[in-house]
Amino acid sequence: MPTSTGYPLHRSEIYDELERGDLNILRAMLPSERLFDRGESILIGGEPHDYVYRIRTGWAARVRHIEDGRRQLITIFLPGDLCAVKCLLMNRQPDAIECVTPVTAHFIQQAELRTLARLDPDVALRLMFQLGEDERRLHNWVAVLGRGDADEAMATLMLDLRARLRLVGLANGNTFKLPMTQQQIGEHLGLTVVHVNRVLRRFRESGVLTVTKSIVTVHSSQKLRQLASPMLDVFEKTSPAYNSD
Amino acid sequence: MPTSTGYPLHRSEIYDELERGDLNILRAMLPSERLFDRGESILIGGEPHDYVYRIRTGWAARVRHIEDGRRQLITIFLPGDLCAVKCLLMNRQPDAIECVTPVTAHFIQQAELRTLARLDPDVALRLMFQLGEDERRLHNWVAVLGRGDADEAMATLMLDLRARLRLVGLANGNTFKLPMTQQQIGEHLGLTVVHVNRVLRRFRESGVLTVTKSIVTVHSSQKLRQLASPMLDVFEKTSPAYNSD
DNA sequence: CGGGACGTTGACCTGGATCAAAAATTGTGG
DNA sequence: CCACAATTTTTGATCCAGGTCAACGTCCCG
């Protein structure tokens, strides 16, 4: 299994440094491993935290809890993703990171990683790249939430998950595992469960894709891309991970 | 005028490094300065770009152009902000950065800044911190767009702008300059101009704040905070920049 | 085999969009 | 300083995507 989700859009002149940095981080983390249950919090909003993680198996999410019970899943973490990098720099941060499924993760003490970054510019660059890549995804998601309608948002999410899972070898062809409840999908898309359900029904009825028992089957990549198209950025429109069927 | 928007939430153990890094970046940029007109693009979506900027005066925004004419203002850049840091790492990126007002900015060649970061871990840390801080704001904004209603979004924006302007000495008391059209505000909040106008009218009529000729006058910080409250993160709820009247 | 998630569907409601048009403001050249 | 055009703000009337409420079906696990 690949160790990272790749370096989409990276500047080619820094590829070698990124690879070395990635390897060095992975090496420093390898001895450690921790198991989290489904629903367990890897870190809790508002509290300081001392570790940085790399998800090995399972899905997690950055979750914003709003006082009146509303929730927003801000980011989905898949295997290979580094998470809580931001905590290297901030002494606390408002969001929790919660496990969508059981999760196994390698981890490293922040202080140690900071030292590593200080001694090894490749590591610093790799961390910077992770932050940049997270930012890129967030930019996309802001555009989706701000300007997309429900169909566009759902289609974009599905394409994005499929592409990312392909990069780490967890999806091939037209099928992938989606271990999120419709409630959680709604909390990520800014929709209610009820509406998520209706959108999925329409997708099913119009032959776009089917979700059964946490398995997504894409029946028409072409239709799916067409639905998501306005929300895809220039890069995604030409990336093989998005476009191959 | 302060040179940066501060290091909200930074880990205290890295403060000195951040300050040194900031100064070193500023020093490397100082000889350069460029003027942009209102509406001009600092960088164009989809194209590679070679510079990193620090806004000295004026407002800019990261803008996502959707093919059918929809637009999303993803982030607002104020004086003191570094922008296009992400381009250090990515060879192209989908968004434009456009000037909301005339802008003067210092700049530096990316290659030079990368070298600087490589030689000086303080600079690398400062850049990393900028990425982390951008991410924090984006997380907030995802929550606002995903879960907030129009009043909450508007109130949150106003509080946020006031707090950030205060940090760089461009707002004091209850008044600040807001050089965005209602159209642009809508493109940032995910609303139509028409609805932005109605929300502002309600705010005016209920004694929250008034916007006249690009000047915002907050009549009741308390009411404004109350409206925004669900969208504010733990940090913002206790920050003096948000809470002092 | 009973209870608690989770998914599905229908009936109805509402926040914000859309369409259209008028008023106010800003900028521009003479 | 004024006239005129372009941009921005404001308001009203109407519509609809998605929310809310309520119920029922289904799957799983102890």
Side-chain angles (χ1 to χ4, degrees):
Chain A
M1 178 186 316
T3 53
S4 98
T5 39
Y7 314 118
L9 271 185
H10 71 278
R11 298 192 152 254
S12 53
E13 62 266 45
I14 62 175
Y15 183 82
D16 292 339
E17 301 171 42
L18 281 176
E19 276 289 303
R20 285 198 304 268
D22 194 60
L23 200 64
N24 292 342
I25 294 172
L26 188 59
R27 192 146 43 205
M29 282 183 163
L30 257 191
S32 67
E33 177 151 304
R34 196 176 147 188
L35 174 67
F36 297 90
D37 292 335
R38 173 172 189 273
E40 195 177 349
S41 294
I42 296 181
L43 66 87
I44 294 175
E47 295 183 8
H49 194 74
D50 283 331
Y51 298 92
V52 172
Y53 300 85
R54 182 203 290 271
I55 310 278
R56 195 172 66 79
T57 62
W59 291 30
R62 174 179 295 276
V63 184
R64 173 70 128 260
H65 290 264
I66 299 171
E67 52 200 5
D68 56 16
R70 285 176 282 178
R71 283 157 50 96
Q72 174 71 31
L73 304 200
I74 298 176
T75 305
I76 309 293
F77 295 107
L78 302 182
D81 287 334
L82 288 175
C83 66
V85 177
K86 216 181 43 166
C87 296
L88 277 177
L89 309 152
M90 310 284 173
N91 66 350
R92 55 212 168 95
Q93 52 95 56
D95 312 308
I97 296 185
E98 295 177 11
C99 298
V100 172
T101 67
V103 162
T104 54
H106 300 299
F107 58 92
I108 186 173
Q109 198 120 25
Q110 285 174 1
E112 194 186 334
L113 187 52
R114 268 205 305 279
T115 307
L116 206 59
R118 180 155 267 281
L119 296 175
D120 182 348
D122 296 335
V123 166
L125 191 73
R126 175 66 184 83
L127 291 175
M128 225 185 279
F129 188 85
Q130 183 69 40
L131 290 166
E133 174 59 13
D134 292 350
E135 213 182 306
R136 191 183 72 83
R137 285 216 212 103
L138 286 165
H139 291 157
N140 285 347
W141 209 241
V142 165
V144 167
L145 294 176
R147 285 293 167 222
D149 64 27
D151 286 11
E152 288 167 341
M154 181 69 78
T156 305
L157 175 65
M158 293 298 175
L159 270 185
D160 184 56
L161 289 175
R162 189 180 68 168
R164 290 172 60 196
L165 289 169
R166 281 174 170 178
L167 281 173
V168 291
L170 292 173
N172 29 37
N174 299 319
T175 284
F176 61 92
K177 188 137 200 325
L178 173 72
M180 295 167 74
T181 65
Q182 294 186 0
Q183 175 72 43
Q184 290 169 328
I185 295 172
E187 286 167 352
H188 189 40
L189 302 179
L191 302 172
T192 56
V193 212
V194 176
H195 202 64
V196 166
N197 191 283
R198 289 196 232 275
V199 170
L200 288 176
R201 187 203 342 183
R202 283 209 309 276
F203 278 21
R204 194 188 324 128
E205 288 170 354
S206 57
V208 177
L209 58 79
T210 310
V211 185
T212 325
K213 307 201 191 197
S214 303
I215 304 280
V216 177
T217 306
V218 177
H219 300 300
S220 167
S221 286
Q222 210 235 320
K223 283 183 191 167
L224 186 57
R225 269 200 301 276
Q226 205 166 309
L227 282 162
S229 162
M231 297 295 129
L232 298 181
D233 69 42
V234 197
F235 166 65
E236 290 160 345
K237 285 204 178 148
T238 57
S239 154
Y242 277 81
N243 288 292
S244 70
D245 286 333
Chain B
M1 182 186 315
T3 52
S4 99
T5 41
Y7 314 118
L9 274 184
H10 71 277
R11 299 192 152 255
S12 53
E13 62 266 45
I14 61 175
Y15 183 82
D16 291 341
E17 300 170 44
L18 282 176
E19 277 287 303
R20 283 198 304 267
D22 196 58
L23 200 64
N24 292 343
I25 294 172
L26 187 59
R27 193 148 39 206
M29 282 183 163
L30 258 191
S32 67
E33 177 151 305
R34 195 176 149 188
L35 174 67
F36 297 91
D37 291 334
R38 173 171 189 272
E40 196 177 348
S41 294
I42 296 180
L43 67 86
I44 293 174
E47 296 183 6
H49 193 75
D50 284 331
Y51 298 92
V52 171
Y53 300 85
R54 182 202 287 271
I55 309 278
R56 197 173 66 78
T57 62
W59 291 31
R62 174 179 296 275
V63 184
R64 175 70 128 260
H65 290 263
I66 300 171
E67 51 199 5
D68 55 16
R70 285 177 281 180
R71 283 157 50 96
Q72 175 71 32
L73 303 200
I74 299 177
T75 305
I76 309 291
F77 296 106
L78 302 182
D81 288 334
L82 287 175
C83 65
V85 176
K86 216 182 44 170
C87 297
L88 276 178
L89 309 151
M90 310 286 175
N91 66 351
R92 57 213 165 97
Q93 51 94 55
D95 312 308
I97 297 187
E98 295 177 10
C99 298
V100 172
T101 67
V103 163
T104 55
H106 300 298
F107 59 91
I108 186 175
Q109 198 121 26
Q110 285 175 358
E112 193 186 336
L113 186 53
R114 269 205 305 278
T115 306
L116 205 59
R118 182 154 265 282
L119 296 175
D120 181 349
D122 296 334
V123 166
L125 190 74
R126 175 66 184 84
L127 291 176
M128 226 185 276
F129 188 85
Q130 182 69 42
L131 290 165
E133 174 59 14
D134 292 350
E135 211 179 308
R136 192 183 71 84
R137 285 215 212 102
L138 286 165
H139 291 155
N140 285 347
W141 208 240
V142 166
V144 167
L145 293 176
R147 284 297 168 216
D149 63 25
D151 286 11
E152 288 167 340
M154 180 70 77
T156 305
L157 175 65
M158 292 298 173
L159 270 184
D160 185 55
L161 289 175
R162 190 180 67 168
R164 289 172 62 196
L165 289 169
R166 281 175 171 179
L167 282 172
V168 291
L170 292 174
N172 30 36
N174 299 319
T175 286
F176 61 92
K177 189 139 198 330
L178 173 73
M180 295 167 74
T181 66
Q182 294 186 4
Q183 175 72 43
Q184 289 168 328
I185 295 173
E187 285 167 352
H188 190 40
L189 301 179
L191 302 173
T192 56
V193 212
V194 176
H195 202 64
V196 166
N197 191 280
R198 289 196 231 276
V199 170
L200 288 176
R201 187 201 347 185
R202 284 208 310 275
F203 278 21
R204 195 188 323 129
E205 287 169 355
S206 58
V208 177
L209 59 77
T210 312
V211 185
T212 326
K213 306 201 191 195
S214 303
I215 305 282
V216 177
T217 306
V218 177
H219 299 302
S220 167
S221 285
Q222 210 234 322
K223 282 182 190 166
L224 185 58
R225 271 200 300 275
Q226 205 165 308
L227 283 162
S229 164
M231 296 296 128
L232 298 181
D233 69 43
V234 197
F235 166 65
E236 291 161 342
K237 285 202 178 150
T238 58
S239 153
Y242 277 81
N243 289 290
S244 69
D245 286 335

